[in-house]
Amino acid sequence: VALGLYFPRKEYLENVYLDEPAGTPLLRIHALKDSHEEVAHFHLCQNLIISRARSHENNWFQIREKTGLLYLSRSLDREDFNMLSVGNWMPLSKVMLYVFLSSHPFQEKECDSATRTTVFLSLINATAPACSSLTARQLCFTEMDLSFHIKENKPPGTFHQLQLPSVHHLCQNLSISYKLLAAEGVPFRYNENTSSVRVTQRLDREERERYELIAKCTVREGLREMQVEVPFLVNVLDEDDSPPFLPNGTDTADAVVEFNRKEGSVLATLTVYDADTTPIYPLESSRKKYTGTIITDDPWISETFRVEHIFDEIHFSPNGSQVRGTRHEY
């Protein structure tokens, strides 16, 4: 089983209104690959989760296995809304469903083990608003932040679609176009024909950990033009691929001990840098990664002296951008 496919977002948010017709596209979910050969298959397994204690059979939502397009398979009417809301006095009800990912067509039993992301759907106790009553911000972007996680050293691929499938479906009289504003040489491309954003090359977290771009949207209606810009952030996830390094190249320190030294005196120090990882919690797991050893076959030395290990987060600045790492001191 290939474990490499992954979601560039931990969760997705979308609104669903009463009486939207079956077939209405709601949201496009993307997956990124671990290796070029993989093909992504999307699947909805379990029931809708209405609140922590309750779930309900999913009769309304379906996903296209090969494209990741989540759509309404049945119109949601007021009776459905009352059943799915905790009480019909509420203006909206939040339901949750899981989208699963596999590198081959799904068998139902795989639902527990497969990679998944969470979709939060706000069911709104009203019909969809007229396009003319929506602000440019609502027409262009959902309420979720445009924030993504891309693993380093993985193949390029498409990880987001800027155009909102539901708005595009409902508001065909409007012209909505996008641009991705970024510094020269940034490894992301926007495709105007598909409105999708692609990472164009393998990323290296030790070179750059975070990219801050801007998504710009222009809405045209007749002679009226509105523009809105939102941050578009990409965080690069670490893979343990860089060895630790010693600032002066030596991994051994000599300790000279004089008489009458008090308990707790520091006799020698050794520093190791690791650009690859940041201190992880619980702290013991960071401590276990490297060990300091006193090289001796004299039991008295082993009983009398000990190596203490402290570490903290530091920043390296390759190419002028800050990358987090760890300094270990022994």
Side-chain angles (χ1 to χ4, degrees):
V1 177
L3 298 171
L5 286 166
Y6 69 98
F7 291 105
R9 291 187 67 93
K10 290 191 175 70
E11 55 188 49
Y12 292 82
L13 313 172
E14 193 47 83
N15 295 333
V16 182
Y17 294 91
L18 295 185
D19 301 329
E20 287 186 278
T24 300
L26 298 174
L27 173 64
R28 190 181 288 279
I29 291 172
H30 290 87
L32 285 169
K33 300 178 183 186
D34 196 54
S35 61
H36 282 291
E37 312 77 65
E38 287 176 320
V39 178
H41 296 265
F42 300 91
H43 193 70
L44 294 177
C45 285
Q46 286 143 321
N47 295 341
L48 292 175
I49 297 152
I50 301 166
S51 62
R52 284 184 184 173
R54 293 172 58 208
S55 68
H56 194 283
E57 193 181 342
N58 172 22
N59 299 318
W60 299 272
F61 306 102
Q62 214 27 274
I63 195 163
R64 297 211 190 286
E65 187 188 341
K66 293 193 173 160
T67 63
L69 182 71
L70 186 75
Y71 64 95
L72 270 175
S73 53
R74 187 177 110 185
S75 185
L76 185 83
D77 62 25
R78 199 164 296 280
E79 206 176 302
D80 298 330
F81 178 86
N82 291 345
M83 182 171 56
L84 292 173
S85 64
V86 183
N88 57 9
W89 52 271
M90 294 181 78
L92 71 83
S93 174
K94 267 223 164 79
V95 300
M96 187 168 97
L97 47 85
Y98 294 121
V99 175
F100 290 82
L101 186 57
S102 173
S103 55
H104 51 263
F106 255 87
Q107 277 85 47
E108 198 67 25
K109 65 181 186 311
E110 291 179 294
C111 287
D112 295 336
S113 57
T115 306
R116 74 180 189 192
T117 189
T118 309
V119 178
F120 293 97
L121 297 170
S122 295
L123 310 183
I124 295 169
N125 193 4
T127 53
C131 296
S132 55
S133 71
L134 296 173
T135 63
R137 177 78 173 74
Q138 291 168 314
L139 290 164
C140 291
F141 302 106
T142 60
E143 287 146 39
M144 59 185 176
D145 295 336
L146 293 183
S147 177
F148 306 91
H149 304 276
I150 297 180
K151 293 182 182 179
E152 68 170 339
N153 306 323
K154 303 301 179 200
T158 297
F159 64 94
H160 184 62
Q161 184 180 14
L162 281 169
Q163 185 186 69
L164 304 181
S166 51
V167 170
H168 183 64
H169 183 75
L170 294 168
C171 306
Q172 291 170 349
N173 298 340
L174 296 177
S175 155
I176 301 175
S177 59
Y178 295 89
K179 271 197 176 119
L180 197 59
L181 309 178
E184 201 60 41
V186 165
F188 305 101
R189 287 288 166 277
Y190 172 64
N191 181 328
E192 283 184 20
N193 301 324
T194 59
S195 90
S196 58
V197 183
R198 179 178 175 79
V199 55
T200 57
Q201 64 189 55
R202 291 172 185 263
L203 303 179
D204 181 354
R205 193 201 72 91
E206 287 72 63
E207 288 294 318
R208 188 158 176 183
E209 192 169 10
R210 184 176 165 91
Y211 293 87
E212 299 183 16
L213 300 84
I214 289 172
K216 179 181 178 178
C217 174
T218 305
V219 181
R220 290 184 189 84
E221 188 181 11
L223 297 171
R224 222 158 60 102
E225 186 176 289
M226 298 176 285
Q227 290 186 333
V228 60
E229 294 183 358
V230 298
F232 188 103
L233 306 174
V234 178
N235 294 292
V236 185
L237 294 181
D238 193 57
E239 195 174 57
D240 207 347
D241 64 334
S242 303
F245 60 95
L246 300 140
N248 57 5
T250 173
D251 64 354
T252 309
D254 292 331
V256 177
V257 187
E258 295 168 358
F259 280 107
N260 296 331
R261 278 298 175 98
K262 288 194 169 63
E263 188 179 332
S265 298
V266 176
L267 306 172
T269 58
L270 189 62
T271 303
V272 183
Y273 289 107
D274 189 344
D276 206 35
T277 55
T278 54
I280 14 177
Y281 296 89
L283 289 175
E284 274 319 300
S285 48
S286 270
R287 210 166 254 124
K288 279 180 195 148
K289 201 165 173 193
Y290 307 113
T291 53
T293 310
I294 297 174
I295 303 169
T296 180
D297 44 19
D298 182 334
W300 179 80
I301 289 178
S302 302
E303 285 163 21
T304 312
F305 302 96
R306 70 159 192 255
V307 179
E308 210 158 87
H309 178 191
I310 54 171
F311 51 89
D312 54 2
E313 184 173 294
I314 54 166
H315 290 95
F316 300 96
S317 297
N319 308 330
S321 75
Q322 281 209 332
V323 172
R324 292 171 306 145
T326 310
R327 175 176 50 211
H328 296 266
E329 291 194 272
Y330 297 93

